[in-house]
Amino acid sequence: MRPRRLRSALTVLGAAATATALALGPAGPATAGTQHPALASAGTQRPAPTSAGRAATAHGLTPVTDLLAQRLLLADKVAAAKYGTDTPIDDPVREAQILDDVRARASSLGLEPDAVAAVFRDQIEANKLVQRALYARWDAHPAERPTERPDLAKEVRPALDRITTALLAALRDTERSRTLPSCGPRLAVAAGWSAYTHRLDAPHLEGLGRALPSVCA
């Protein structure tokens, strides 16, 4: 990563942490000491934001960060499907297929393929970060291990594919705003709001931070 991009990423991540803390206040999401559902669903209902919150987040980059949060929540099901099996967290072949697919789809949407692939590469790494955190939790606390094994092919990957389609559309719709100098601060605020509305716990908050660096062009 080039120094300028690294400084930008660090600025975004630091601002995201601050914005999250400000947005959450005393009624924030679960922390590392609070059990996050092992099989959390991206479709789980969340408390409705206030009218002021809806007005503040009805535009901008929140559609992107909401999808990043939803994708991270699906990491719980990916981890539950793999935990205790020979299927590794890292899957270079599958990852390469995903990146090739989003490059091709980006071109058809008029987006820069490598820039879009960078965004999705960050999502893959963020997802793996959450999986590793869940593995460590389950190793340390056997009682918290998942009791069901989701079907990767029939249940989890179709849900991930739907988020991929929605995220590509959101990246297209926000293309101009993601090139503006104000993208970093606005992305931080959007990430803080998405973290709050999706009640992300510590591992998922860390994953959200890992998912952000390539969103701003």
Side-chain angles (χ1 to χ4, degrees):
M1 181 179 288
R2 289 176 290 186
R4 182 177 178 183
R5 186 180 176 193
L6 176 59
R7 287 195 298 271
S8 176
L10 291 174
T11 299
V12 168
L13 296 177
T18 301
T20 300
L22 291 173
L24 302 180
T31 63
T34 303
Q35 175 65 25
H36 189 281
L39 297 179
S41 168
T44 300
Q45 287 189 336
R46 306 290 171 179
T50 64
S51 57
R54 285 194 295 268
T57 58
H59 57 82
L61 297 170
T62 309
V64 173
T65 56
D66 274 351
L67 288 165
L68 304 189
Q70 290 173 31
R71 199 178 194 282
L72 283 171
L73 289 173
L74 277 174
D76 297 42
K77 287 192 173 184
V78 176
K82 294 180 178 181
Y83 186 74
T85 73
D86 294 331
T87 304
I89 289 177
D90 291 277
D91 187 349
V93 173
R94 170 71 177 168
E95 293 166 18
Q97 291 172 345
I98 292 171
L99 296 178
D100 287 344
D101 175 62
V102 297
R103 281 192 181 94
R105 294 168 69 179
S107 294
S108 68
L109 292 172
L111 295 170
E112 207 288 310
D114 288 339
V116 170
V119 173
F120 278 88
R121 186 178 295 109
D122 284 344
Q123 308 321 303
I124 291 170
E125 294 304 320
N127 192 287
K128 291 191 292 186
L129 188 155
V130 173
Q131 289 181 57
R132 293 188 183 102
L134 290 172
Y135 273 34
R137 176 187 292 172
W138 296 336
D139 286 344
H141 305 284
E144 296 181 8
R145 292 173 182 173
T147 57
E148 298 179 1
R149 192 180 302 284
D151 190 309
L152 270 179
K154 295 181 179 179
E155 179 181 357
V156 183
R157 286 176 178 165
L160 286 170
D161 289 342
R162 287 192 291 271
I163 291 176
T164 293
T165 298
L167 183 53
L168 284 165
L171 292 173
R172 177 199 59 203
D173 294 343
T174 59
E175 183 177 19
R176 182 179 179 280
S177 62
R178 290 186 296 105
T179 65
L180 298 175
S182 61
C183 178
R186 289 186 297 106
L187 180 64
V189 172
W193 184 254
S194 295
Y196 174 64
T197 56
H198 290 277
R199 296 189 177 276
L200 302 187
D201 64 3
H204 294 80
L205 280 172
E206 187 177 357
L208 184 59
R210 179 62 185 87
L212 295 177
S214 296
V215 173
C216 293

